[in-house]
Amino acid sequence: MIQFRPRAAVQYGAAFAAALMALTGCSSGTSGLRSMSAAGASASAPSPDPLTWSECGKNLECATVKVPQEYTEPDGTQIPLAVMRHRATDPGHRIGSLVFNPGGPGVSATETLRNLPKTAGTPGAFSPAVLAKFDVIAMDPRGVGESQAVRCLTDEQRAKAAGTDFDPSVPGGKPLPRLLADAAAFTDGCAKHQSKKFLASLSTDNVARDIDQVRSALGEHKITYYGLSYGTVVGPMYATLFPHRVRQMVLDAPVDTNQWFGDSLPFQNDVAVASERTLNAWFKTCRTEGATVCPFGAGDPQAAFDALIDTLEAKPLKIAPAKGATPGGELDGAMALEATRALAGDQNAWPLLTSALLAAQNGNGAPLYTLWSSVTVSPFPVPTAMFEAHTAVRCADWQTPNGIATHQAAATKAVTEARRIGTRAAYSALNCARWPAPNKDRVTKPLTGAGTPPALVVAGRLDPVTPRHWAENMARTLDSAALLTREGVGHGSYGTNSCVNKAVDAALIRGTHPADGTVCETDKPATTRPLVPANR
């Protein structure tokens, strides 16, 4: 699910650099469904041929594996899946293959693996010790990335949607009739451009079966698994369907799998509340540090933020084109709110958030605009290229009520419980309510992973998209698990925290875990001090 990228300031890459230049004045050139057992769903699937690898980057090899679109029809339509391998850097001490899913849904695992050397210090970045001992395997899930990415909109429609003016004070950003019309256009586009059978096949249980086909094609008896965010739905599904194929499993920023496959409206409400809490944490820290450190709002950042959003919505800031950064446009209140939501979700990005808000307050909207344009995946509707795959996978898994009154009640609840972010969550499941390709044979039993070694579940104390109580629920649902908590704000812990890094490395390499309930402190205290002086 539910990963938005980039997160920490270091992960913003070009967007971060462009924003910093703009700041400094520089420029650059559920229950009614049938449950399938692993045996009934996949025993008849033919074993795939061994993978044929070709070099596709430094220490990277690429291949394609064909899998059944429906495992109940193993001789029917086959679909190609993109697979990438990062070879173990110390092959003499190689342990095996480590399969990972970086989240989303909708995030390309192969693209993430290709970029890992450039994103050290960010969630999901493997340590040199892990890279030495494992072939890291990335498989783009069906409908994602290079595995026949779902497309429901034309380029023109997507550009138009991205340019739509949203009102941050209105639940869903638009009047309900317009939201319903948008949902109809989107789902009609999915039915027009994609096979309904293909859309119905995008469920997580099929992704797990695909992973087992990859395992077989690799010639591995067992795999090690690391999943981040939505990847923590894939991992327990695999462990439940194929427990004898799991060597070790680490689940980072976990989703409550019982909620994921249940009613999507309470699920989305939990996400909105979690995101609101991280924004409130930024407000509290700014207030506590005082105006000398955090000058935004002069001691009352909430009031200053609300006033800024209202001002930008009433009179958007013009953004001049900047070569290598942005084609230009306008920054309105809805864009500023979305950029703030993403940046507030990682305490490492708080100085950048403070700087960008100060700049916008002073009439320079370029930093916030550049950062808004870099948000590629969101737990709520954002018209990006990944949004279609993100939605398609969710709708294949979720149980979403059809009645509009239920969505209206959920929207009211979201706005009440998450005053600023709730408007983003409101009506965010309408596409799934009228999804044209219902999945009638999904797995619905609890994902216990019974029969696998104990899993390591890693949670952030304040996670903007997967709240900590989801991790507690996952640890209880799994047959055997140890829960490790990282203090601080952020989505994903491995790769960002030295204590967590040691624990995850030990789990992946040696199969040893910290005591259940262990807490890792932050490596450095959170601060809202801006990156550049307020008068710049």
Side-chain angles (χ1 to χ4, degrees):
M1 172 192 153
I2 312 186
Q3 178 194 29
F4 53 84
R5 298 186 319 170
R7 285 178 299 272
V10 67
Q11 197 176 8
Y12 277 85
F16 168 73
L20 186 58
M21 286 188 291
L23 284 165
T24 56
C26 300
S27 61
S28 65
T30 79
S31 59
L33 298 175
R34 178 165 61 93
S35 175
M36 282 185 146
S37 69
S42 59
S44 59
S47 296
D49 294 331
L51 294 170
T52 301
W53 298 101
S54 60
E55 186 177 347
C56 56
K58 184 178 180 181
N59 208 29
L60 295 175
E61 297 172 318
C62 291
T64 300
V65 61
K66 288 190 175 181
V67 300
Q69 179 171 284
E70 283 294 345
Y71 282 86
T72 52
E73 302 172 3
D75 297 323
T77 302
Q78 304 288 299
I79 56 177
L81 303 179
V83 183
M84 182 181 287
R85 173 169 66 181
H86 182 281
R87 283 286 201 176
T89 57
D90 183 4
H93 295 91
R94 177 185 178 275
I95 293 173
S97 291
L98 190 162
V99 176
F100 86 106
N101 182 294
V107 175
S108 166
T110 59
E111 180 186 1
T112 302
L113 181 57
R114 184 180 296 279
N115 290 327
L116 276 182
K118 307 172 188 175
T119 55
T122 62
F126 296 106
S127 71
V130 168
L131 293 175
K133 291 179 170 58
F134 290 96
D135 290 342
V136 179
I137 307 297
M139 179 196 80
D140 281 352
R142 51 177 66 201
V144 174
E146 297 300 315
S147 297
Q148 296 186 329
V150 171
R151 295 295 295 269
C152 298
L153 303 174
T154 64
D155 290 341
E156 182 180 358
Q157 287 175 313
R158 189 177 297 106
K160 182 179 179 181
T164 298
D165 181 28
F166 292 91
D167 187 338
S169 67
V170 175
K174 303 178 185 179
L176 183 54
R178 287 182 60 193
L179 292 174
L180 292 170
D182 287 349
F186 182 87
T187 53
D188 288 349
C190 291
K192 178 181 178 181
H193 297 293
Q194 304 284 171
S195 156
K196 289 185 180 180
K197 285 189 174 182
F198 177 65
L199 291 175
S201 81
L202 301 180
S203 56
T204 299
D205 50 288
N206 276 339
V207 174
R209 296 183 184 102
D210 294 341
I211 288 176
D212 202 58
Q213 291 291 95
V214 171
R215 176 205 58 76
S216 178
L218 289 167
E220 298 280 17
H221 179 64
K222 293 186 177 185
I223 61 169
T224 302
Y225 182 86
Y226 168 82
L228 174 66
S229 197
Y230 165 73
T232 68
V233 183
V234 177
M237 179 67 78
Y238 184 81
T240 300
L241 297 184
F242 305 97
H244 58 296
R245 298 300 189 185
V246 177
R247 176 187 164 271
Q248 296 293 331
M249 183 169 65
V250 174
L251 305 168
D252 189 358
V255 175
D256 182 350
T257 53
N258 298 309
Q259 273 201 265
W260 177 262
F261 294 105
D263 186 338
S264 60
L265 301 184
F267 180 93
Q268 287 292 75
N269 190 80
D270 270 9
V271 177
V273 171
S275 194
E276 186 85 9
R277 284 174 179 162
T278 60
L279 178 56
N280 287 339
W282 180 85
F283 287 143
K284 181 179 178 180
T285 305
C286 180
R287 212 169 43 244
T288 300
E289 290 187 308
T292 301
V293 173
C294 181
F296 181 77
D300 192 353
Q302 293 104 315
F305 179 75
D306 292 339
L308 177 62
I309 297 300
D310 290 344
T311 299
L312 291 173
E313 191 61 21
K315 188 177 181 180
L317 290 173
K318 300 289 184 181
I319 309 299
K323 186 178 180 181
T326 172
E330 288 187 342
L331 175 75
D332 63 16
M335 294 173 178
L337 178 61
E338 175 62 12
T340 299
R341 179 200 63 77
L343 289 163
D346 191 319
Q347 65 187 43
N348 295 312
W350 283 2
L352 179 57
L353 173 59
T354 307
S355 301
L357 289 173
L358 286 167
Q361 198 174 52
N362 291 329
N364 177 9
L368 272 181
Y369 182 86
T370 302
L371 294 164
W372 166 80
S373 67
S374 74
V375 178
T376 56
V377 179
S378 168
F380 313 120
V382 176
T384 66
M386 289 186 187
F387 174 55
E388 287 140 284
H390 185 69
T391 300
V393 175
R394 296 192 309 178
C395 295
D397 278 353
W398 282 2
Q399 286 295 281
T400 302
N402 295 324
I404 191 60
T406 307
H407 289 262
Q408 288 176 303
T412 299
K413 179 178 173 66
V415 173
T416 300
E417 296 185 4
R419 185 166 71 85
R420 296 174 179 87
I421 308 300
T423 59
R424 296 281 297 109
Y427 299 110
S428 58
L430 284 180
N431 289 329
C432 293
R434 67 184 318 277
W435 193 240
N439 177 16
K440 298 178 181 179
D441 61 2
R442 77 193 74 197
V443 169
T444 59
K445 62 184 178 181
L447 303 185
T448 64
T452 64
L456 178 60
V457 177
V458 185
R461 180 70 69 184
L462 277 179
D463 189 303
V465 254
T466 55
R468 186 178 178 277
H469 71 267
W470 283 5
E472 294 173 340
N473 292 343
M474 172 169 281
R476 282 192 292 265
T477 299
L478 288 169
D479 191 61
S480 181
L483 177 60
L484 174 67
T485 300
R486 170 195 46 81
E487 295 291 0
V489 176
H491 183 54
S493 301
Y494 179 55
T496 71
N497 178 280
S498 58
C499 170
V500 172
N501 294 348
K502 292 177 183 177
V504 172
D505 282 359
L508 294 175
I509 296 170
R510 297 187 296 277
T512 59
H513 296 161
D516 184 39
T518 296
V519 175
C520 286
E521 300 296 332
T522 57
D523 284 340
K524 60 180 181 180
T527 181
T528 57
R529 183 186 296 276
L531 291 175
V532 295
N535 61 352
R536 292 296 298 268

